[in-house]
Amino acid sequence: MKKSRKDEALKGYLFAAPFLLYFALFTAWPLYYCIKLVFFQFNLGGEMPFVGLKYVARMCGDEVFFHAWRNTLAFVLINVPLQVGIALLLAVALNSRIAGKAFFRAAYFFPVIISGAVTTILWLYLLNKDSGIINQILGRLFGMAPIGWLTSESLAIFSLAVHATWKNVGFTVIILLAGLQSIPRSVYEAAELDGVTPWESFWRITLPLLNPTFVMVVMLSTMGAFSLFVEPLVMTNFGGPGDASMSLFLYIYKKFSFWDMNYASVLGLTTALVILAVVVLQKKFLEKEPYF
Amino acid sequence: MAERSGMALRALCYVLLTMGALSFLYPFIWMLSATVKPVNEIFSFNPVPSHVTFQWYHLMLKKIPAFRGLFNSLIVSSAIAASQVLLGSLVGFGLARYRFAGRDFIFGIVIFTMVIPAQLTLIPLYLLVTKLGWLDSYFALIIPGMVGGFSIFLFRQFFLTIPQDLIEAARLDGLSDLGILFRIFYPLSRPAIITVGMLSFMGSWNDVLWPIVVIRKWEMMTLPQLITLFQIGGLAGGQVAVQLASTTVMVVPVLLAYLFFQRYFIEGIATSGLK
């Protein structure tokens, strides 16, 4: 008996070994090095002198970093509610007794599987001020003058958030739909017999029972929204106009591409810590019962 | 009365779903048609061209090594997908089916790797790859992506649902542990395998950040990297249709794979890991 338990443990470690190796090399060591770069001067190959909080101090006085925060937060605050809201609407509609479900699901999911490199270039042209399809439609339907979606400082982040919503909403729809389908039909049928209106049953039955899925979807969308990178790189030409759409990850990448390793690490670590805190808080405040 | 309001509600659902579907699909239809239209029709709302031209594709191929990029992307993404399925299922099997000290801790680390943003480890990873001499090689593109927390998580969740009796029976029949994984678990786990395979393939196929960091040579670049640099580097010379031709090359293989696998794929995501 004892031998077989030892045997089992050995096998367990053997099976887990590829992951442990991967984790040590590609996650743990990089994380350790990242933290080291906060305090020690970067030097490829040579000795790394201690620099204290020099780079942290630099971050505290960096206006562009604060703009990047403001822009990214604005993006998260527009993108997440829009994405979860629209996804909820579409998922509920898709969960009713209708024909053509497979087609709709496939259509919604399609932008999700396409590279951001492709969809951002596509939207760059859809949102073009003079010839873009979106201004053409708005002009024809409402007689609106062309809008500089990506060239106006006040609109740039909003436009990026609309693109991101369009691109990612399908993923949210699929997960919410799975959550909706795990709610037994009999609950609704019983409610219907009691004369509960569809509107009431949505608020009293659907939403409470969907809570765990809902929380997960909000957390996943938030983490996704914080990693805003390709959109401002491609659609607003490196965070423009000015730095009106400079995002955190784009800024970190910019510092990195100028070989400013220490500073990029400080920015990256700070950003990651705040994102983790936000996601943990969301879980705490939104979740009715612990789920995982 | 209830019957009528039910009808109205269903009609509303159809309107909503159709509007959604149109807004998701029309941009792609516009893109595909723009790449074969004459220049003065590109920005037209109407997707039907007056005549079909392939000049934009010719121009694109003159400017960037798109086929080489396609080849690189296929190699890299296939290798990553195969390895994520194999290693993900091995580790997931270990975590789901054996009891050993530290197992839950290891699973905790798996979850942890899913939450930390990739950008955080970007710099040290780049330095590591540089030290190993992997810059501008397939190693740099493939090896750091061979295992992933999400694949392990998904396989573990899926494997936990397979009844223990089945394993006991297989063991009595003299199957080894790997035999049980490959001969009993694999056939039962088709949605999980397809989901992990497709998600890893697409994740790597669509990734721009990592290739931009570790690849500088044109002939080693992946397709999305080429296309992004083509766009931001101004190589397309402001020619919209050439640009869109390059993105179409990128979409078509994914579209075909998606049409082929999408039924399993969406069900796999919806039912296996994320439950």
Side-chain angles (χ1 to χ4, degrees):
Chain A
M1 193 65 208
K2 207 167 180 202
K3 189 179 171 296
S4 85
R5 274 189 72 176
K6 245 184 166 170
D7 205 43
E8 193 177 337
L10 185 68
K11 279 183 191 158
Y13 292 124
L14 270 178
F15 275 105
F19 172 72
L20 293 174
L21 195 70
Y22 158 86
F23 174 75
L25 206 58
F26 297 127
T27 310
W29 182 79
L31 265 182
Y32 157 77
Y33 196 84
C34 203
I35 295 168
K36 193 173 165 188
L37 279 181
V38 174
F39 306 104
F40 296 88
Q41 183 65 44
F42 170 69
N43 184 356
L44 194 62
E47 207 162 283
M48 296 169 63
F50 181 70
V51 290
L53 294 174
K54 182 177 144 192
Y55 289 100
V56 179
R58 180 173 153 202
M59 179 184 76
C60 295
D62 183 354
E63 214 170 290
V64 184
F65 184 54
F66 288 103
H67 288 168
W69 264 109
R70 186 195 59 196
N71 298 338
T72 309
L73 284 177
F75 178 84
V76 171
L77 287 176
I78 302 169
N79 174 230
V80 174
L82 207 59
Q83 187 168 315
V84 176
I86 293 177
L88 193 59
L89 215 59
L90 289 177
V92 169
L94 210 50
N95 195 38
S96 58
R97 271 162 283 184
I98 50 146
K101 277 182 195 182
F103 165 75
F104 288 122
R105 282 199 317 187
Y108 298 164
F109 206 70
F110 189 51
V112 178
I113 62 164
I114 301 301
S115 167
V118 169
T119 60
T120 48
I121 291 172
L122 179 53
W123 274 69
L124 191 62
Y125 297 121
L126 295 180
L127 289 170
N128 186 292
K129 186 176 178 187
D130 303 313
S131 45
I133 298 291
I134 292 181
N135 276 347
Q136 282 186 41
I137 295 177
L138 291 177
R140 260 191 228 177
L141 287 182
F142 309 106
M144 283 164 70
I147 297 168
W149 296 105
L150 297 166
T151 48
S152 131
E153 277 196 28
S154 52
L155 277 177
I157 275 289
F158 173 76
S159 308
L160 299 190
V162 170
H163 161 265
T165 303
W166 174 86
K167 170 147 180 28
N168 299 320
V169 76
F171 188 75
T172 313
V173 170
I174 298 299
I175 299 178
L176 284 176
L177 192 59
L180 286 173
Q181 281 171 352
S182 66
I183 302 174
R185 288 256 174 221
S186 56
V187 182
Y188 291 107
E189 277 153 17
E192 210 170 306
L193 286 180
D194 289 342
V196 174
T197 65
W199 184 245
E200 274 177 325
S201 83
F202 175 75
W203 286 102
R204 299 258 194 86
I205 302 170
T206 309
L207 278 189
L209 289 177
L210 196 61
N211 182 268
T213 318
F214 186 79
V215 175
M216 186 167 73
V217 154
V218 171
M219 286 167 61
L220 285 175
S221 322
T222 306
M223 283 197 281
F226 265 113
S227 53
L228 177 65
F229 172 73
V230 188
E231 287 95 335
L233 177 71
V234 174
M235 291 170 81
T236 51
N237 197 13
F238 235 111
D243 57 23
S245 65
M246 174 62 72
S247 77
L248 289 165
F249 283 159
L250 186 61
Y251 190 52
I252 295 167
Y253 172 73
K254 195 175 172 183
K255 290 294 154 198
F256 164 77
S257 63
F258 290 137
W259 208 246
D260 201 349
M261 300 300 183
N262 284 99
Y263 196 46
S265 295
V266 171
L267 298 180
L269 216 52
T270 313
T271 308
L273 285 176
V274 177
I275 297 174
L276 275 181
V278 169
V279 173
V280 168
L281 282 179
Q282 275 181 341
K283 185 167 154 61
K284 201 171 161 204
F285 282 109
L286 290 175
E287 201 164 58
K288 300 285 176 262
E289 285 164 45
Y291 170 58
F292 61 81
Chain B
M1 191 63 205
E3 192 59 23
R4 188 179 286 174
S5 82
M7 289 263 286
L9 215 55
R10 204 176 298 175
L12 186 71
C13 282
Y14 274 114
V15 171
L16 203 69
L17 291 171
T18 310
M19 272 170 50
L22 267 178
S23 68
F24 289 116
L25 293 179
Y26 175 75
F28 291 106
I29 296 169
W30 177 79
M31 177 179 90
L32 288 174
S33 84
T35 62
V36 293
K37 277 175 179 171
V39 69
N40 56 336
E41 288 172 22
I42 288 168
F43 278 106
S44 156
F45 188 77
N46 177 5
V48 184
S50 65
H51 67 273
V52 171
T53 166
F54 291 106
Q55 55 168 322
W56 311 117
Y57 287 93
H58 287 296
L59 270 172
M60 172 204 54
L61 289 175
K62 263 193 222 158
K63 300 213 164 145
I64 53 169
F67 282 115
R68 177 70 205 216
L70 188 68
F71 175 78
N72 288 341
S73 278
L74 276 175
I75 297 270
V76 170
S77 305
S78 313
I80 285 182
S83 145
Q84 288 263 2
V85 167
L86 183 69
L87 296 177
S89 63
L90 281 174
V91 179
F93 186 75
L95 291 178
R97 286 304 176 181
Y98 297 107
R99 264 164 305 167
F100 52 97
R103 184 189 64 177
D104 295 338
F105 181 68
I106 296 178
F107 186 59
I109 305 179
V110 169
I111 304 280
F112 176 71
T113 60
M114 287 165 62
V115 207
I116 55 163
Q119 282 82 353
L120 191 57
T121 51
L122 186 73
I123 296 154
L125 262 185
Y126 167 77
L127 298 173
L128 185 69
V129 163
T130 311
K131 273 191 187 164
L132 292 167
W134 290 350
L135 284 186
D136 283 320
S137 76
Y138 288 129
F139 289 127
L141 292 170
I142 295 171
I143 293 176
M146 284 177 71
V147 195
F150 185 72
S151 318
I152 296 171
F153 176 78
L154 210 122
F155 274 117
R156 176 189 177 266
Q157 301 305 91
F158 206 88
F159 289 164
L160 280 176
T161 64
I162 295 175
Q164 185 69 29
D165 298 348
L166 213 57
I167 303 171
E168 306 296 346
R171 221 166 249 153
L172 285 180
D173 286 344
L175 268 185
S176 68
D177 295 70
L178 283 177
I180 292 173
L181 173 61
F182 292 128
R183 311 252 302 260
I184 310 286
F185 277 48
Y186 263 41
L188 291 172
S189 314
R190 214 164 54 165
I193 292 173
I194 291 176
T195 306
V196 167
M198 287 284 277
L199 281 179
S200 326
F201 186 90
M202 281 167 184
S204 134
W205 179 269
N206 292 336
D207 187 24
V208 178
L209 184 61
W210 181 243
I212 280 189
V213 167
V214 293
I215 303 293
R216 301 281 151 80
K217 283 191 192 149
W218 283 93
E219 69 269 21
M220 282 309 298
M221 286 184 182
T222 63
L223 198 53
Q225 180 185 10
L226 270 177
I227 288 167
T228 307
L229 292 179
F230 192 43
Q231 160 66 24
I232 59 180
L235 270 173
Q239 281 174 306
V240 178
V242 177
Q243 193 78 77
L244 294 174
S246 74
T247 55
T248 302
V249 175
M250 175 105 194
V251 169
V252 170
V254 178
L255 174 65
L256 294 179
Y258 180 57
L259 289 179
F260 196 68
F261 284 123
Q262 63 100 358
R263 203 170 60 90
Y264 302 104
F265 180 48
I266 292 181
E267 256 147 45
I269 294 179
T271 57
S272 55
L274 295 162
K275 220 172 195 170

